[in-house]
């Protein structure tokens, strides 16, 4: 039975599934990376995702226009990001806790809106799978990578874009400076507040898209608490990836691949108790991190609020 | 001397007077030829029956039902030498009827039947005058305490209920029409039953009822039927003799007809679906036996589905879909078995119900099934004026749920439902503190031996088995996939049943089972389904609210879906084949009835295919091959009658 | 002199009440939401008040809800002082509960007065282990505690599912077709004593006593001092010879332990068995997260956390009552919970500003920050160290 795992169908299945599963984690974690690089911890990602998921679903069902749905999800996420930014930057609230507050708010509000505006569970015709010409015909690789829906492609494309912004642009420099040493950045004329506003809102926007990628692309349905804690995992993955976009990609892939592996294990009837199988991605993530003991430090100002004149 | 003479004269006079008096009474009776022995077995004298009825003996309704019954008995007894029947029909004028009754009685008939509730007060006067005559009066249960009156009635609401179930199932417009005479007695009972059955089957169905105010106005009845049709009804029913007008209209417009009292099939064989036929002979036989034993009255009888006094006759020329027919059979069985209380009990005050559940009321699964059931029970009780219910959903924190349950009980709710197996411990603490409150707990069968806890459970493996049978029959790849939440409780029961059913149908079939470890992770459920599809499954099933993710994948990949707990057909109409739908209202109705009778708990209930608490609902939009359909129906039947036992292997 | 004394307590009172004002502000926003749902806010909030404090039973319920909040909050006070974020409370509660329950279902022949303390201590240890693992991972492997605690939470849930439907399942369930994943019921003698018509149990009292002990720990022992020192300034502490690593681990162990105690307390004081619905919050009631909020309400001070837990507990209990009375979806209650957290957390800024102004007025150089090393052991130390 374990040998079943090594068959081509299964391996391809695991990889394709892993790529798909990784998508929402990627959007949310990349967004969170920007925020954390600038020194802000946002634990409310899950709530932003749920608001994004609902908004996208609702707009898509009512207008039939999926891209409008994505746009609305971005707006919803951005609004929540705006609120988080205000609370964090202007009111200097304790970030970990305010994040949890936003999480609860997003969780409750999305549920409430769903009950009042839609009322029943239904499906939507979401983003279809796209076969990229030529590439999708490559045996094995084609099936895994090049037959996914457009949001999957965008998520992966975000990684090099994020890397580029953070490491090769002035904006990125400013973001990193604000995260490492806000006082110094401030004295150099960088507006810490503005940078943080930018990254937090960007993070919210991307979280919104992460939610939308679930409700109108991957699963094509909305249900209360459909993210089921995914946002928290995404935040954790930022730490795993050492605040680097490529590292975050690695973390998202590792987590998702192990997740899809455990699904296959169950499907193939390999006798591991279901609960133990479900634990695998979490345990493995920790083990990998332990094994790759690194000297990477967090952005020094992470979770510390900044006040001018301190 | 003189005194003695006087005394003897007086005595003699008295004797004459007395004998005159005693011979006076039987005098009228003596006028026929000695047919005083009512015993039918030994007599060479025929048993003589007279019947007075308000309409014609071929009214295809009330009067015909009695006349046909008499003819049946007569032929069973051996014809006219054994039993003599005379009748006076068209006696709608009560006074004339009274005269006829008195006359028959004085002519020495053994049994005089006053077939019409309007004849009651007349009978009350007449019967005491003829203590050797047996009278029978219907439709009623009142014998006035007079010991030579039998009363008889029809539980017409029962057949009405079944007709209603059928009507709601067959209606395409969702609108039904009823043409009634006057809102009273047997007619009202039938109509109420019809409405109840329709609503129980489809709470959204609209039933328009029109009492035309007359038992005889055929034209008016036709007009009422026209009105119904114009309002969109595609199925009609009605009771009493004037319905023939309505049946004609139904035939013209192609609406379906359901009959009662007698078979109305011959009037419109293309549109009559079924009739509740009264078999009064069941009652008459008993009456005649009693008369033979010397009892002339004092008992009341009811004909119903259980004793065969009411029979649901299907029109053989009408093609009923198999599942609807099965539904009807089930319903009849339920009613006969007493599982369905047709009339809701009445409470002094508004009956108050509170329910605590772990997920949302629109989760298309566990919690929704209870919420829908409560809505249906509320309807059955008579609407918000009779029953109120409140709920606390999303109560997955056991502690909060416990607080809610305790609070509702303290607030004086009559019934508090703890809809979640995780609430048990809390209930065990709370229930003893509130002995006047009734609690219901599911899914489980454990009442903890506490007198005010009802327990309820679903035999979810039964529907799982049926789903498995269908899935294995339809699968072309020979691979099926199951997406479950956590391997426990109701979920595991369902899954085990599904696997058993699939293997029983095709021992080589492969059923891959995946428990994703959560009741809510929709994305993971979706991914699990994708995994199944990639592994070759062309048929999927699952249970609990996160399956909506899996259904989406099924739709996308073209795999079949089999649902449970609630109907998921709407989510993927092209892919959902069948659903095992929970009808908790079957249990709830019994609970309410027991509460009305003063029992607040101590019993556990199981909903299953036999009692209609679980119903296999086939997706109308999915074309099921005929042989698979009949295999499914046979499987259901087998489970219900016990010929199929579900064995969990592996 | 008496003047400044008076000045001292009144502003501090306002400071202490700021979370209350913030809560009221949040409830006002909630009122708007209620109006949109066509519910009368006055009726709703009256129900909330009644549900929280309006009767003896309500008050008892509030205290029952507050107990895990207080315990988790105490742990949070410790860990935050050590500059360690512990969001693993949910998992730690679960593991503590599992281990404590194991004691109760195994030692069935032992007397209650022995089993209860053993169980509570076992739960304490269980939580300590579950908190210690992320602690060790952070101290020795540089694995960030946010990542590890989030992962450990998920692992704990699956562990609970596995154990409760397998090895630890109630034997009477094992024969039933649809098994409920729950343990056997604890013997009557193993239950924490209750104040009988209500659900208020001894755990509440134990928690308050522990609060005092934690206060003493943090301000009157070397361990406590070092935890705070490491949290305030790890480099300086390292120079001073404090083994920083160890104290990071200690902070997480202790905070995990208190969460574990909260978990086992729930089993022995409220539910009398462990039962799962597959989620963490089904058992914990999100006390692992809400405890963090309660600690913040209380200014991250163990004594302050006592009234904070009661108020926050009252809010949660009252909100559920409100749901029942005006029949709003419980989703609204969740959103309201979130709003309160956000508002209260945001109100901190005013508290700090006010304190800074006061300290600036009082201290010589006008800066208002007193360096590490000073150990005054009274509530004024709260003001100095809150600049986290």
């Amino acid at each position: 039975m374990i040998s079943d795992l090594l068959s081509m169908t299964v391996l391809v299945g695991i990889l394709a599934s892993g790529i798909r599963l990784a998508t929402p984690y990627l959007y949310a974690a990349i967004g969170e990376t920007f925020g954390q690089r600038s020194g802000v911890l946002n634990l409310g990602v899950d709530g932003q995702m749920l608001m994004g998921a609902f908004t996208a679903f609702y707009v898509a069902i009512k207008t039939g226009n999926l891209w409008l749905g994505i746009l609305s999800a971005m707006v919803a996420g951005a609004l929540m990001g705006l609120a988080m930014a205000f609370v964090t930057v202007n009111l200097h609230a304790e970030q970990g806790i305010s994040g949890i507050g936003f999480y609860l708010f997003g969780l409750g509000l999305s549920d409430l809106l769903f009950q009042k505006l839609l009322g029943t569970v239904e499906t939507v015709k979401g983003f279809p799978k796209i076969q990229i010409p030529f590439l999708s015909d490559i045996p094995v690789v084609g099936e895994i990578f090049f037959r996914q829906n457009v949001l999957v492609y965008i998520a992966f494309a975000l990684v090099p874009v994020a890397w580029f912004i953070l490491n090769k642009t002035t904006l990125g420099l400013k973001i990193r400076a604000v995260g490492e040493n806000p006082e110094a950045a401030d004295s150099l004329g960088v507006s810490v507040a503005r940078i943080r506003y930018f990254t937090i809102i960007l993070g919210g926007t991307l979280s919104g898209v992460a939610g939308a990628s679930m409700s109108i692309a991957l699963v094509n349905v909305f249900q209360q608490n459909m993210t089921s804690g995914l946002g928290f995992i995404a935040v954790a993955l930022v730490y795993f990836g050492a605040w680097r976009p490529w590292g975050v990609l690695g973390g998202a892939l590792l987590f998702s691949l192990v997740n899809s592996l455990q699904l296959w294990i169950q499907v193939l009837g390999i006798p591991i108790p279901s609960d133990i199988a479900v634990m695998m991605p979490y345990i493995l993530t920790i083990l990998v991190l332990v094994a790759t003991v690194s000297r990477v430090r967090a952005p020094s100002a992470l979770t510390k609020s900044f006040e001018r004149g301190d | 001397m003189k005194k003695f003479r006087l005394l003897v004269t007086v005595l003699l006079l008295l004797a004459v007077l007395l004998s005159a008096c005693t011979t006076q009474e039987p005098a009228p009776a003596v006028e026929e030829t000695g047919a005083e022995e009512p015993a039918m077995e030994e007599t060479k004298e025929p048993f003589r029956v007279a019947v007075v009825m308000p309409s014609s003996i071929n009214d295809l309704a009330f009067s015909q039902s009695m006349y046909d019954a008499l003819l049946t008995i007569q032929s069973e007894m051996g014809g006219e030498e054994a039993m003599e029947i005379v009748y006076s029909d068209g006696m709608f004028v009560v006074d004339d009827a009274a005269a006829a009754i008195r006359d028959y009685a004085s002519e020495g008939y053994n049994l005089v039947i006053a077939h019409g509730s309007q004849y009651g007060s007349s009978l009350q006067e007449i019967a005491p005058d003829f203590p050797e005559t047996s009278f029978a009066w219907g439709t009623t249960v009142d014998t006035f305490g007079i010991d030579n009156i039998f009363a008889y009635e029809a539980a017409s609401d029962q057949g009405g209920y079944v007709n209603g179930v059928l009507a709601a199932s067959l209606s395409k417009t969702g609108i039904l029409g009823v043409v009634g005479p006057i809102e009273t007695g047997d007619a009202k009972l039938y109509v109420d039953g019809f409405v109840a059955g329709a609503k129980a089957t489809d709470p959204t169905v609209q039933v328009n009822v029109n009492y035309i105010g007359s038992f005889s106005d055929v034209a008016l009845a036709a007009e009422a039927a026209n009105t119904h049709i114009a309002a969109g009804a595609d199925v009609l029913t009605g009771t009493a003799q004037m319905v023939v007008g309505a049946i004609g209209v139904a035939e013209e417009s192609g609406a379906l007809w359901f009959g009662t009292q007698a078979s109305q099939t011959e009037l419109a064989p293309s549109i009559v679906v079924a009739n509740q036929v009264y078999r009064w002979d069941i009652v008459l036989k008993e009456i005649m036996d009693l008369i033979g034993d010397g009892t002339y009255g004092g008992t009341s009888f009811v004909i119903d589905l259980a004793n065969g006094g009411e029979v649901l006759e299907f029109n053989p020329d009408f093609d009923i879909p198999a599942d609807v027919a099965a539904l009807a059979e089930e319903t009849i069985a339920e009613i006969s078995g007493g599982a369905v209380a047709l009339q809701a009990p009445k409470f002094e005050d508004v009956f108050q119900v509170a329910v605590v559940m772990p997920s949302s009321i629109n989760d298309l699964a566990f919690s929704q099934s209870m919420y829908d059931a409560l809505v249906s029970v509320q309807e059955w009780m008579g609407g918000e004026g009779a029953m109120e219910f409140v709920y606390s959903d999303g109560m997955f924190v056991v502690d909060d749920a416990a607080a809610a349950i305790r609070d509702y009980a303290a607030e004086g709710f009559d019934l508090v439902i703890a809809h979640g197996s995780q609430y048990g411990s809390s209930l065990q603490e709370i229930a003893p503190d509130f002995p006047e409150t009734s609690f219901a707990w599911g899914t489980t069968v454990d009442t903890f031996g506490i007198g005010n806890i009802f327990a309820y459970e679903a035999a979810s493996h039964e529907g799982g088995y049926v789903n498995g049978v269908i899935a294995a029959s339809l699968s072309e790849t020979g691979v099926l996939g199951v997406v479950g939440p956590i391997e426990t409780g109701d979920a595991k029961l369902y899954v085990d049943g599904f696997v058993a059913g699939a293997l029983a149908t095709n021992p080589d079939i492969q059923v891959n089972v995946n428990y994703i470890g959560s009741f809510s992770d929709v994305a993971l459920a979706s991914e699990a389904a994708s995994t199944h599809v990639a592994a070759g499954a062309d048929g999927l099933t699952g249970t609990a609210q996160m399956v909506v993710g899996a259904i989406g994948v099924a739709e996308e990949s073209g795999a079949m879906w089999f649902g449970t707990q609630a109907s998921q057909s709407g989510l993927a109409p092209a892919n959902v084949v069948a659903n095992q739908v929970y009808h908790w209202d079957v249990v709830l109705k019994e609970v309410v009835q027991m509460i009305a009778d003063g029992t607040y708990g101590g019993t556990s209930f199981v909903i299953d295919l036999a009692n209609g608490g679980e119903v296999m609902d086939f997706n109308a939009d999915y074309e099921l091959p005929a042989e698979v359909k009949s295999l499914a129906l046979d499987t259901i039947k087998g489970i219900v009658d016990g010929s199929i036992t579900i064995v969990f292997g592996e | 002199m008496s003047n400044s004394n008076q000045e001292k307590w009144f502003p501090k009172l306002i400071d202490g009440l700021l979370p209350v004002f913030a809560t009221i502000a949040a409830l006002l926003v909630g009122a708007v939401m209620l109006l949109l749902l066509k519910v009368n806010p006055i009726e709703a909030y009256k129900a909330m008040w009644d549900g929280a404090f309006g009767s003896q039973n309500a008050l008892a319920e509030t205290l029952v809800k507050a107990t895990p909040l207080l315990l988790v909050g105490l742990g949070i006070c410790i860990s935050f002082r050590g500059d360690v974020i512990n969001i693993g409370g949910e998992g730690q509660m679960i593991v503590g509960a599992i281990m404590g329950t194991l004691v109760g279902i195994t030692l069935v022949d032992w007397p209650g007065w022995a089993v209860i303390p053993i169980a509570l201590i076992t739960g304490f240890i269980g939580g300590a282990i579950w908190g210690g693992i992320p602690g060790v991972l952070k101290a020795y492997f540089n694995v960030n505690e946010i990542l590890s605690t989030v992962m450990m939470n998920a692992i704990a849930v699956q562990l609970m599912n596995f154990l409760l439907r397998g090895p630890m399942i109630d034997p009477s369930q094992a024969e039933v077709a649809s098994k409920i994943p729950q343990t056997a019921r604890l013997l009557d003698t193993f239950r924490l004593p209750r104040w009988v018509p209500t659900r208020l149990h001894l755990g509440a009292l134990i928690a308050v006593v522990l609060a005092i002990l934690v206060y003493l720990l943090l301000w009157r022992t070397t361990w406590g001092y070092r935890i705070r020192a490491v949290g305030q300034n790890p480099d300086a502490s390292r120079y001073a010879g404090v083994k920083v690593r160890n104290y990071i681990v200690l902070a997480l162990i202790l905070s995990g332990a208190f969460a574990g105690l909260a978990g086992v307390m729930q089993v022995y004081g409220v539910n009398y068995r462990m039962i799962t619905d597959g989620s963490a919050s089904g058992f914990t009631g999100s006390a692992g997260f809400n405890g963090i909020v309660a600690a913040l309400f209380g200014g991250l001070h163990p004594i302050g956390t006592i009234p904070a837990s009661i108020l926050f507990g009252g809010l949660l209990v009252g909100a559920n009552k409100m749901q029942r009375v005006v029949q709003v979806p419980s989703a609204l209650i969740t959103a309201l919970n979130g709003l309160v957290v956000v508002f209260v957390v945001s109100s901190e800024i005013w508290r700090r500003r006010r304190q800074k102004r006061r300290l600036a007025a009082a201290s010589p150089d006008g800066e208002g920050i007193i360096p590490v090393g000073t150990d005054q052991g009274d509530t004024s130390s709260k003001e100095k160290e809150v600049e986290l």
Side-chain angles (χ1 to χ4, degrees), chain B residues 390-393 396-400 403-404 407-408 411 422 425 428-429 457 486-489 493 517 519, chain C residues 61 65 158 177-179 181 185 191 199 266 270 272-273 275 277-278 281-282 285 320-321 323-324 327 330:
Chain B
V390 299
Y391 64 90
S392 288
D393 64 347
F396 53 89
V397 181
V398 178
D399 223 18
D400 290 349
D407 197 52
Y408 282 130
E411 293 277 324
Q422 62 265 56
S425 293
Q428 209 172 356
E429 303 297 315
E457 188 175 63
I486 301 179
E487 189 172 357
T488 180
L493 202 56
F519 281 89
Chain C
E61 287 296 314
K65 192 80 173 165
Q158 295 308 321
S178 62
K179 309 184 211 301
R185 208 150 173 249
R191 301 182 188 177
R199 293 200 305 156
Q266 281 296 102
V270 181
Y272 308 134
R273 73 184 346 144
I275 192 165
D277 73 327
S281 41
N320 277 335
K321 174 75 179 188
Q323 183 278 325
R324 286 193 289 278
Q327 286 286 289
S330 55

Side-chain angles (χ1 to χ4, degrees), chain B residues 38 47 66 110-116 120 123 127 131-153 283-302:
Chain B
F47 186 81
M66 177 54 77
N110 303 108
L111 173 63
V112 180
I113 305 175
H115 188 62
L123 205 57
E132 295 297 306
T133 309
S134 178
F135 295 89
W137 175 41
T139 56
T140 179
V141 289
D142 194 353
T143 64
F144 300 114
I146 297 176
D147 60 13
N148 61 336
I149 297 182
F150 287 105
Y152 60 87
E153 189 176 61
V283 162
L284 288 177
K285 282 200 191 108
E286 287 199 58
I287 291 178
M288 288 165 69
D289 282 344
L290 282 170
I291 295 175
D293 293 336
T295 306
Y296 294 170
T299 321
S300 56
F301 299 90
V302 179

